[in-house]
Amino acid sequence: MGRGDDLSDRYPDERGWVNARIRQIRALPYKPTPMLELELPTRLRGSRLLVKNESVHPSGSHKHRLAEALYLNALANGWLVHDSPVVEASSGSTAISEAWFSKLLGIKFVAVVPSGTTAEKKKAILELGGEIVEATGATISERAEQEARDRHGHFMDQFTYAERAYDWRGDHGMAGEILHESDPDWFVMGAGTGGTAASLARHARYTGHRVRVCVTDPENSAFFPGWRDNDRTVTATGSRIEGIGRPKVEPSFLFPLVNRMIRVPDPVSIATMRVAKERLGVAPGGSTGTGLYGALKILRELHRRHETGTVVTVLCDSGERYLDTYYSDAWLEQQGIDFRPWVDTVERFFETGHWTPPRSWRKPPTPRGLMWNM
Ligand SMILES: Cc1ncc(COP(=O)(O)O)c(C=O)c1O
């Protein structure tokens, strides 16, 4: 055997660097996030509506958990090396959380965000030391991959790795907290990567819980038709509800783990978000409205069947990130999102348990006429 046959010690200095960063992450304090409860009308007595408040994480959303998981995954896999940047494709929340971890770990961070991402989100990324590259919505992943190649960095790729980076077996995570605290009948949430829904569904199976998973999808997302037709090649024009709904079916969105999908019109998401702000005393973002609408629909159905149940949804991030968009009447008008008539519908439901869609409501035409049963 000649000298050239032994190629050991390619990265002699990296282990110390990696170990130190993993130690830093593992030393972070772990504190379960609060579970809020929305009061239901007496008509629905016996049912519960719980909202996991993920906006309290240091980087402001449930993506704090994803960023931690993605960094641990990338470090343990040997994908991150000293002095090379991390690049991510994100509509904002994941980028903010990854920028937070990058700052903690002393790693340069580049966020590729869709043009149109709110100024508040971009500001948060910049304040955490991140760099921003804007690209058109459907191409952010390709652009991020390219940026990572050009900069000799690592493309974190949340849309591929979210479902496998989360530790779905352990109790340390949103799934463990929710299932052990409340043992719900339904978990309802929108999908961006689909990683949160997948990890909760897996943890439920692993720990023997009964919970079923409902994904609420905004207008113009590929997830709903993809799941309905069991077709991963479906494309769509792209969602207006930041963080959820995608122009294509992302790899982390796993069909067999989703029990039900509900398509939610954007005005209904916004109205539900606005009502939730008053009733929770905390302003949520738009994706929380989408999930909460699905939770209300399931509660109505339970009542109709003379059943009761516990439904959990997630307050993904704070409304402060959307003051110029979902909380701006002028912006909503510009977008043609006529949410006002639905505010009364949602309000009345919380007061009386009765659901009366606005008189002006016309079901949008949908293929097969499915699922606009409001
Ligand atoms: C604000 C917001 N809500 C909900 C989601 C959906 O979470 P997940 O990526 O786990 O599907 C995201 C993800 O991008 C998000 O940014």
Side-chain angles (χ1 to χ4, degrees), residues 219 265 267-268 341-342 357-366 372 374:
E219 293 175 34
V268 181
W342 286 99
R359 278 169 183 277
S360 57
W361 168 242
R362 296 264 177 284
K363 289 179 192 180
T366 68
W372 286 116
M374 304 301 296

Side-chain angles (χ1 to χ4, degrees), residues 50 54 66 75 82 113 116 159 163 165 169 233 295 330 344 362:
L50 304 174
E54 290 286 296
L66 176 62
L75 285 162
H82 194 203
V113 301
F159 293 108
E163 57 94 357
R169 292 179 190 83
T233 65
D344 286 344
R362 296 264 177 284

Side-chain angles (χ1 to χ4, degrees), residues 146-164:
Q146 183 64 44
E147 290 287 336
R149 252 195 316 270
D150 294 349
R151 296 164 187 252
H152 305 289
H154 173 66
F155 174 32
M156 200 63 113
D157 195 1
Q158 59 162 336
F159 293 108
T160 300
Y161 291 101
E163 57 94 357
R164 58 194 99 155

Side-chain angles (χ1 to χ4, degrees), residues 94 134 200 240 290:
T94 306
E134 292 198 43
L200 187 126
R240 290 186 293 189
T290 315

Side-chain angles (χ1 to χ4, degrees), residues 71-216:
Y71 270 97
L72 283 175
N73 187 58
L75 285 162
N77 276 310
W79 296 339
L80 294 190
V81 280
H82 194 203
D83 274 348
S84 60
V86 162
V87 184
E88 182 61 290
S90 163
S91 67
S93 294
T94 306
I96 296 169
S97 296
E98 289 187 19
W100 190 93
F101 276 89
S102 287
K103 186 169 185 218
L104 171 80
L105 303 172
I107 298 173
K108 183 174 167 47
F109 180 69
V110 182
V112 179
V113 301
S115 36
T117 299
T118 62
E120 282 87 349
K121 282 188 172 174
K122 289 192 281 196
K123 186 162 161 260
I125 297 164
L126 294 170
E127 280 174 1
L128 287 162
E131 182 186 326
I132 291 176
V133 174
E134 292 198 43
T136 49
T139 62
I140 56 170
S141 290
E142 289 75 12
R143 180 65 186 274
E145 206 173 351
Q146 183 64 44
E147 290 287 336
R149 252 195 316 270
D150 294 349
R151 296 164 187 252
H152 305 289
H154 173 66
F155 174 32
M156 200 63 113
D157 195 1
Q158 59 162 336
F159 293 108
T160 300
Y161 291 101
E163 57 94 357
R164 58 194 99 155
Y166 275 123
D167 170 19
W168 52 266
R169 292 179 190 83
D171 289 337
H172 178 124
M174 200 205 296
E177 289 173 30
I178 288 176
L179 300 189
H180 301 302
E181 276 166 25
S182 61
D183 190 18
D185 299 278
W186 281 95
F187 174 72
V188 190
M189 188 183 175
T193 62
T196 308
S199 62
L200 187 126
R202 284 172 169 154
H203 192 70
R205 284 166 173 75
Y206 187 63
T207 54
H209 284 85
R210 65 188 163 183
V211 67
R212 291 160 69 76
V213 172
C214 172
V215 170
T216 43

Side-chain angles (χ1 to χ4, degrees), residues 188-191 214-218 244 261-262 264 287 290-291 293-295:
V188 190
M189 188 183 175
C214 172
V215 170
T216 43
D217 210 29
I244 58 168
M261 288 200 70
I262 300 173
V264 185
S287 70
T290 315
Y293 167 76

Side-chain angles (χ1 to χ4, degrees), residues 257-299:
L257 296 181
V258 176
N259 300 108
R260 176 176 183 178
M261 288 200 70
I262 300 173
R263 184 153 50 183
V264 185
D266 295 345
V268 181
S269 293
I270 301 303
T272 314
M273 174 202 84
R274 293 275 187 112
V275 173
K277 171 180 177 256
E278 302 309 321
R279 293 193 165 256
L280 285 168
V282 186
S287 70
T288 303
T290 315
L292 195 51
Y293 167 76
L296 299 184
K297 187 161 198 271
I298 287 172
L299 286 163

